[in-house]
């Protein structure tokens, strides 16, 4: 690159912060370099490109974010503004999300508390979040009661189960006068499908397992989840649109979100190029080889990210509890709401279309012979 090109970036000359400085002004003008610069780039990429009407936005959620209140402060506003179209979350985040909708409380505590004393007092700790042990018992009781309903007595994907649970949470919020507490309730209202990549790895999964011992008919169809999520991504692309991955943390939800593209390309053998946009908020190091720290450049080698779109990717090494509220405030303050895509209502159609494309390309040729 030439010297003029190298020095073509905006001059570092930020305006002083004062009482009139808005979140949008703060991020655009004062988040200059290092990870504040990356967070600025993430906010701008999100609002200027990802929130275009033809982009389907997938969000993955790891870490104990709903106990910290991010369901209410960020995820619900993102859903209600049409800024998120489908979600992959740990089951734990959805379980703790439920506490708030059914009138249970969590409290600010101290990260250096005496855990022996907490255990003796019946108080559970998530770092600096405290709650009564009875919160777990009451939430377990809630799940065991609703999952006995006839509508749950069948095999289903996690998106369907969460949608049905969201309906109950939406009703409970209304009864208790606690509207806009649960992201599952908000997702139900907006038709946003919510998947769990490891449905047995949470208290929700444990309660499903406990009920199975008593003859309950609910079973998880994990193959449907894999095919359904891939079909939603492919449907967006085949309709002439684009796809975006917004990743909070890493782990299994990150992989489940991104594996939609290898499933389409590598396993199903269909033509595709990967996600068009990629934002990751993480505190994981890349040099340990773990997926949580893997960069979008590495994802290109797997077919997860379109190499032609690699410049439209940002990795920001910031705690999600800092970055997500700022990104949400920035997006809500700078971009008008989008019409919800209601992908939950389109799942069956998307599955039919991907199956039809496979039949047209391969006929009845087995996967192993393609």
């Amino acid at each position: 690159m030439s010297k003029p090109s190298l020095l073509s970036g905006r001059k570092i000359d930020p305006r002083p912060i004062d009482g009139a400085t808005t979140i949008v002004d703060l991020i655009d003008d004062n988040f200059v370099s290092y990870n504040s610069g990356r967070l600025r780039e993430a906010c701008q990429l999100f609002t200027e490109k990802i929130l275009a009407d033809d982009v389907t936005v997938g969000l993955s959620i790891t870490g104990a974010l709903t106990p910290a209140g991010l369901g209410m402060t960020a995820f619900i506003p993102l859903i209600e503004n049409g800024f998120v179209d489908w979600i992959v979350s740990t089951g734990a985040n959805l379980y703790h999300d439920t506490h708030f909708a059914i009138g249970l409380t969590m409290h600010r505590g101290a990260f250096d508390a005496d855990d022996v004393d907490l255990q003796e007092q019946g108080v559970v700790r998530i770092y600096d979040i405290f709650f009564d042990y009875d919160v777990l018992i009451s939430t377990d009781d809630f799940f065991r009661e609703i999952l006995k309903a006839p509508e749950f007595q069948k095999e289903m994907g996690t998106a369907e189960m969460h949608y049905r649970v969201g309906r109950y949470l939406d009703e409970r919020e209304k009864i208790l006068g606690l509207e806009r507490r649960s992201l599952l309730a908000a997702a139900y209202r907006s038709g946003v499908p919510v998947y769990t990549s490891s449905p047995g790895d949470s208290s929700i999964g444990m309660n499903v397992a406990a009920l199975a011992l008593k003859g309950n008919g609910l079973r998880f169809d994990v193959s449907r989840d894999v095919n359904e999520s891939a079909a939603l991504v492919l449907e967006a692309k085949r309709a002439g649109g684009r796809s975006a991955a917004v990743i909070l943390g890493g782990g299994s939800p990150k992989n489940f979100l991104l594996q939609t593209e290898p499933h389409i390309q590598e396993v199903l053998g269909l033509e595709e190029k990967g996600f068009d946009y990629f934002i990751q908020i993480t505190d994981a190091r890349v040099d340990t080889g773990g997926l949580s720290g893997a960069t979008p450049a590495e994802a290109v080698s797997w077919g997860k990210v379109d190499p032609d779109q690699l410049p439209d990717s940002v990795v920001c090494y910031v705690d999600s509890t800092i970055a997500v509220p700022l990104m949400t405030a920035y997006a809500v303050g700078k971009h008008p709401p989008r019409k919800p895509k209601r992908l939950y209502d389109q799942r069956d159609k998307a599955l039919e279309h991907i199956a039809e494309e496979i039949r047209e390309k391969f006929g009845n040729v087995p996967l192993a012979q393609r």
Side-chain angles (χ1 to χ4, degrees):
M1 293 180 65
S2 66
K3 186 174 182 178
S5 296
L6 292 169
L7 296 177
S8 63
R10 179 175 170 179
K11 183 173 65 173
I12 296 177
D13 187 23
R15 289 176 288 182
I17 298 169
D18 58 31
T21 303
T22 66
I23 290 291
V24 171
D25 293 336
L26 180 72
I27 292 173
D28 281 341
D29 297 331
N30 300 99
F31 282 28
V32 175
S33 300
Y34 317 128
N35 277 307
S36 75
R38 302 299 77 72
L39 183 54
R40 182 195 73 248
E41 292 167 358
C43 290
Q44 292 171 343
L45 175 62
F46 189 62
T47 56
E48 294 171 9
K49 293 187 177 182
I50 291 177
L51 292 183
D53 289 339
D54 68 337
V55 179
T56 295
V57 184
L59 172 71
S60 72
I61 303 171
T62 55
L65 301 187
T66 58
L70 264 70
M72 290 172 275
T73 60
F75 300 141
I76 292 174
L78 289 172
I79 290 169
E80 291 179 340
N81 281 276
F83 293 168
V84 172
D85 300 309
W86 64 289
I87 294 172
V88 184
S89 173
T90 59
N93 269 306
L94 306 179
Y95 177 77
H96 293 304
D97 170 73
T98 302
H99 306 328
F100 300 104
I102 62 177
L104 303 174
T105 59
M106 307 185 83
H107 303 268
R108 299 180 186 184
F111 71 89
D112 56 354
D114 183 337
D115 286 286
V116 174
D117 181 51
L118 292 178
Q119 196 275 333
E120 290 175 349
Q121 298 297 326
V123 174
V124 181
R125 176 172 77 95
I126 303 174
Y127 191 59
D128 60 354
I129 298 168
F130 290 178
F131 55 99
D132 195 306
Y133 181 76
D134 284 343
V135 168
L136 302 178
I137 302 303
S138 297
T139 306
D140 290 344
D141 289 342
F142 171 80
F143 273 104
R144 283 197 294 269
E145 185 62 31
I146 67 169
L147 294 179
K148 294 176 185 176
E151 65 188 281
F152 290 103
Q153 304 311 306
K154 64 175 185 175
E155 186 175 44
M156 64 179 72
T158 59
E160 181 178 354
M161 188 197 75
H162 293 142
Y163 180 81
R164 294 177 182 276
V165 170
R167 182 171 62 83
Y168 281 90
L169 294 176
D170 180 58
E171 288 298 322
R172 185 61 64 92
E173 283 184 341
K174 292 174 182 176
I175 292 170
L176 297 176
L178 298 172
E179 286 83 355
R180 305 181 80 237
R181 294 295 198 279
S182 164
L183 83 85
L184 277 180
Y188 160 76
R189 291 190 296 270
S190 295
V192 173
V194 181
Y195 298 91
T196 296
S197 49
S198 301
D201 186 18
S202 74
S203 293
I204 297 176
M206 289 190 288
N207 280 294
V208 172
L211 288 172
L213 293 175
K214 301 178 181 179
N216 190 275
L218 176 58
R219 299 291 186 274
F220 293 120
D221 186 347
V222 294
S223 293
R224 182 179 178 102
D225 283 355
V226 172
N227 289 324
E228 191 174 278
S229 56
L232 292 176
V233 171
L234 187 63
E235 187 83 349
K237 295 299 209 56
R238 293 296 189 259
R242 293 164 290 172
S243 61
V246 179
I247 298 162
L248 308 181
S252 181
K254 175 185 177 180
N255 185 72
F256 193 85
L257 180 75
L258 292 178
Q259 77 171 17
T260 53
E261 286 289 357
H263 188 54
I264 293 167
Q265 301 169 49
E266 171 195 343
V267 178
L268 300 180
L270 302 177
E271 294 295 326
E272 235 296 276
K273 294 189 68 176
F275 280 91
D276 299 285
Y277 303 113
F278 181 109
I279 292 174
Q280 178 168 334
I281 308 298
T282 185
D283 58 5
R285 290 166 41 190
V286 66
D287 60 312
T288 61
L291 175 71
S292 296
T295 63
E298 182 177 334
V300 167
S301 68
W302 291 83
K304 296 175 179 178
V305 175
D306 184 345
D308 295 333
Q309 304 299 326
L310 197 55
D312 288 323
S313 62
V314 178
V315 178
C316 190
Y317 295 96
V318 178
D319 185 330
S320 291
T321 61
I322 299 170
V324 176
L326 288 171
M327 283 186 63
T328 302
Y330 185 93
V332 171
K334 198 167 184 178
H335 198 285
R338 300 195 310 172
K339 181 180 179 181
K341 289 184 170 58
R342 297 199 64 89
L343 295 186
Y344 182 84
D345 305 331
Q346 302 173 39
R347 296 170 304 121
D348 290 339
K349 180 181 71 174
L351 272 176
E352 290 173 7
H353 287 174
I354 198 171
E356 181 180 348
E357 185 169 337
I358 292 169
R359 287 193 299 270
E360 289 177 353
K361 183 171 183 179
F362 300 108
N364 294 320
V365 179
L367 282 173
Q369 297 176 20
R370 294 176 186 173

